[in-house]
């Protein structure tokens, strides 16, 4: 008997997308944004899509409906983005820190054959980055509760992240170097942009 496909997402997507995974503070959004700029691919953060679909922030979903409701919304948003990508178009997608830990999400991504990139760094650096972002931008992370809890959660999740197609160390490295490594290793192609004068950039 053939194994059942996990959810309603068709088989392999064309090679036009990259999904960034990893713990909080791994740099998924900043690397994703810079990679999108370099290749002229659209970048999106799955958490932003979740917030837009739900009409409230991730922190509000956690606070008012709990983590299980957030995971449901996260899975639905992931399914949605994968369905959109069936139609073509090039995209970099940053997943929230818990997305690639949920089995049904991993199954969806594997069934779609999209490359997944695990961004990793020493846990102390991940913690430091999250603290800096919280104080500089007021970024709210419902699961950022204390260093010991943060470390335990990271250790629990690390094995799941290692299932990604590619692992990149980000500790102490500039974003541009990380972006160049991802583009080169995955052989990602820049999209040519035509200027108003018709020149290709
Ligand atoms: C989460 C990480 C967050 C966000 C949500 C849950 C997690 O994303 O999805 O707060 O479970 O680690 P970032 O990894 O972008 O902080």
């Amino acid at each position: 008997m053939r194994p059942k496909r996990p959810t309603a997402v068709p088989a392999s997507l064309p090679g036009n997308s990259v999904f960034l995974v990893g713990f909080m503070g791994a740099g998924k959004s900043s690397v994703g944004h810079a990679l999108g700029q370099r290749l002229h691919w659209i970048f999106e953060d799955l958490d932003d899509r979740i917030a837009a679909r739900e009409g409230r922030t991730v922190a509000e979903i956690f606070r008012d409906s709990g983590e299980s409701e957030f995971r449901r919304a996260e899975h639905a948003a992931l399914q949605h983005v994968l369905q959109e990508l069936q139609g073509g178009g090039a995209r970099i997608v940053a997943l929230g820190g818990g997305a690639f830990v949920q089995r049904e999400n991993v199954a969806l991504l594997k069934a779609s054959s999209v490359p997944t990139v695990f961004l990793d760094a020493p846990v102390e650096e991940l913690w430091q980055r999250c603290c800096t972002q919280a104080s500089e931008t007021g970024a709210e992370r419902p699961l950022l509760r204390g260093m010991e809890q943060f470390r335990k959660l990271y250790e629990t999740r690390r094995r799941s992240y290692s299932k990604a197609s590619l692992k990149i160390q980000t500790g102490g490295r500039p974003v541009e170097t990380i972006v160049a490594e991802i583009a080169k290793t995955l052989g990602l192609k820049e999209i040519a942009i035509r200027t108003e004068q018709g020149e290709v950039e």
Side-chain angles (χ1 to χ4, degrees):
M1 208 168 64
R2 281 229 252 122
K4 254 173 73 184
R5 208 174 277 296
T7 35
V9 165
S12 303
L13 291 173
N16 60 356
S17 53
V18 175
F19 285 69
L20 303 177
V21 310
F23 204 55
M24 293 174 269
K28 303 176 295 276
S29 299
S30 32
V31 168
H33 188 258
L35 186 59
Q37 279 197 324
R38 179 189 171 112
L39 300 172
H40 303 135
W41 290 23
I42 292 170
F43 164 71
E44 90 163 81
D45 194 315
L46 193 74
D47 279 349
D48 292 341
R49 179 180 286 250
I50 297 167
R53 282 166 58 94
E54 300 294 314
R56 51 194 176 143
T57 66
V58 166
E60 283 165 349
I61 303 172
F62 266 83
R63 190 192 61 214
D64 301 336
S65 310
E67 181 171 350
S68 58
E69 175 56 21
F70 172 74
R71 297 298 168 203
R72 184 212 54 77
E74 181 174 59
H75 182 67
L78 178 62
Q79 234 181 320
H80 194 233
V81 73
L82 287 168
Q83 270 158 0
E84 262 179 32
L85 287 169
Q86 293 288 323
R91 203 165 324 175
I92 318 282
V93 184
L95 300 185
F100 201 66
V101 177
Q102 308 297 314
R103 270 200 212 148
E104 59 275 24
N105 295 340
V106 177
L108 261 185
L109 289 159
K110 296 254 180 230
S112 303
S113 306
V114 289
T116 45
V117 179
F118 168 28
L119 300 181
D120 197 18
V123 69
E124 293 75 17
E125 187 167 337
L126 297 171
W127 170 255
Q128 221 31 69
R129 290 180 193 164
C130 288
C131 293
T132 307
Q133 283 165 17
S135 64
E136 284 179 0
T137 67
E140 277 190 275
R141 286 189 162 102
L143 294 181
L144 189 72
R145 292 177 186 139
M147 179 58 193
E148 269 326 295
Q149 182 266 358
F150 188 85
R151 184 191 297 277
K152 275 195 193 129
L153 190 58
Y154 169 77
E155 277 159 15
T156 315
R157 287 176 170 182
R158 220 163 163 267
R159 255 184 76 189
S160 307
Y161 298 143
S162 308
K163 293 183 189 141
S165 351
L166 175 68
K167 177 179 166 180
I168 306 269
Q169 277 300 338
T170 69
R173 300 176 71 200
V175 168
E176 280 317 316
T177 315
I178 299 163
V179 160
E181 187 181 346
I182 297 174
K184 186 167 178 228
T185 313
L186 294 179
L188 305 178
K189 298 274 178 291
E190 196 177 312
I191 295 175
I193 305 266
R194 256 176 218 288
T195 63
E196 277 174 23
Q197 289 75 37
E199 293 149 359
V200 176
E201 282 188 335

